[in-house]
Amino acid sequence: MSLAERDGVLLELMDDPGCDPELLRTTLRRFETINRVVSGWGHIYRSRIRPYLSALDRPARVLDLGCGGGDVLTHLAHRARRDGLTVEWIGVDPDPRALEVATTRSSPAGASFRCTDSGSLLEEGESFDLVLSNHVLHHLTSDELLRFADESRRLSRGLVMHADIERGRVAYGLYTVWITPFAPGSFLRTDGLRSIRRSYRRAELADVLGAPWRVERPFPFRVLAVAPGLADA
């Protein structure tokens, strides 16, 4: 199997509306452990999010688009609360199955979840200081990706940050071994490997998104697409 080119046709099991609901719930719940290890939001929070929110010197609003089971938003909200930041955290996902898991989490005050999407939020006139996502980009078709990127900028009056996997043989091999103890009773092995095959390399994502997006590699096997918001433009 070649990873030289992105596989934009392969579908993940959890994206099937008819997939096994218990396997999906287990997958979404275990993402908390997986994301703590591989997604690097702790580093992004310390180096990017905390300094940015602190510099606002006022209460802030943060949106997590495609929040899934809500673990990333909850993790960031707990960190911000410990740091004394006043933030309203809103996680949205169009899949009610994901929101079912998200709303069962023990979230700090100021964190909430809604079953909606970026287009609907724009129609409502919503705006945020920071819009972010985790592991959303590789799920999208090329047209969906450009629309998602544009809508996320139009929702933000400050920053936009989209984090994702970077495709590569080393990432694929390491994940195959590392995921073994977490995989039983879930989609984690199959979908994780499919996610890597669907994901972009840094230069590919930069080419697709274009200016003013800046695509960084904050650490191995990860990409972070960053752009200024358009809500106040």
Side-chain angles (χ1 to χ4, degrees):
M1 179 196 63
S2 173
L3 292 171
E5 296 183 359
R6 175 178 183 260
D7 190 335
V9 177
L10 187 66
L11 298 179
E12 296 184 32
L13 300 178
M14 65 183 298
D15 288 337
D16 180 356
C19 73
D20 184 287
E22 188 54 42
L23 292 180
L24 178 61
R25 280 190 290 269
T26 300
T27 301
L28 291 168
R29 292 186 183 115
R30 290 184 189 170
F31 274 154
E32 181 170 8
T33 300
I34 308 307
N35 283 327
R36 287 287 186 99
V37 176
V38 306
S39 295
W41 281 102
H43 169 77
I44 296 172
Y45 172 80
R46 291 189 302 271
S47 63
R48 305 291 293 270
I49 297 176
R50 181 173 61 190
Y52 168 67
L53 295 179
S54 297
L56 293 176
D57 198 29
R58 59 169 172 77
R61 301 187 82 208
V62 178
L63 173 68
D64 181 359
L65 283 173
C67 67
D71 61 285
V72 170
L73 179 137
T74 301
H75 174 62
L76 295 176
H78 279 299
R79 281 179 171 266
R81 186 179 185 186
R82 289 197 298 267
D83 289 335
L85 298 174
T86 303
V87 184
E88 179 185 8
W89 300 86
I90 300 175
V92 303
D93 199 293
D95 190 338
R97 303 171 303 172
L99 269 294
E100 179 186 345
V101 174
T103 53
T104 63
R105 292 191 178 278
S106 176
S107 302
S112 61
F113 298 96
R114 291 181 56 191
C115 190
T116 187
D117 58 22
S118 54
S120 298
L121 291 173
L122 283 170
E123 291 177 0
E124 295 169 15
E126 288 277 21
S127 65
F128 303 84
D129 297 292
L130 171 63
V131 175
L132 58 86
S133 76
N134 181 66
H135 291 179
V136 172
L137 303 187
H138 70 266
H139 287 272
L140 308 176
T141 66
S142 297
D143 289 343
E144 289 170 343
L145 173 61
L146 293 177
R147 183 169 64 252
F148 180 80
D150 175 66
E151 290 178 348
S152 65
R153 291 190 66 207
R154 289 163 58 198
L155 283 167
S156 176
R157 51 181 176 254
L159 285 178
V160 182
M161 299 180 184
H162 297 310
D164 211 333
I165 308 157
E166 183 173 33
R167 189 179 76 256
R169 284 193 172 277
V170 175
Y172 194 92
L174 289 175
Y175 186 84
T176 302
V177 176
W178 179 81
I179 198 61
T180 299
F182 306 101
S186 75
F187 298 134
L188 287 171
R189 177 183 292 279
T190 300
D191 277 4
L193 295 174
R194 291 185 179 187
S195 292
I196 295 171
R197 292 170 62 185
R198 286 187 57 91
S199 66
Y200 293 87
R201 290 180 175 165
R202 179 184 179 184
E204 293 171 347
L205 185 58
D207 184 59
V208 171
L209 292 176
W213 287 93
R214 183 176 70 257
V215 180
E216 306 170 2
R217 185 182 290 117
F219 25 80
F221 320 129
R222 301 290 299 173
V223 288
L224 182 68
V226 183
L230 289 170
D232 286 341

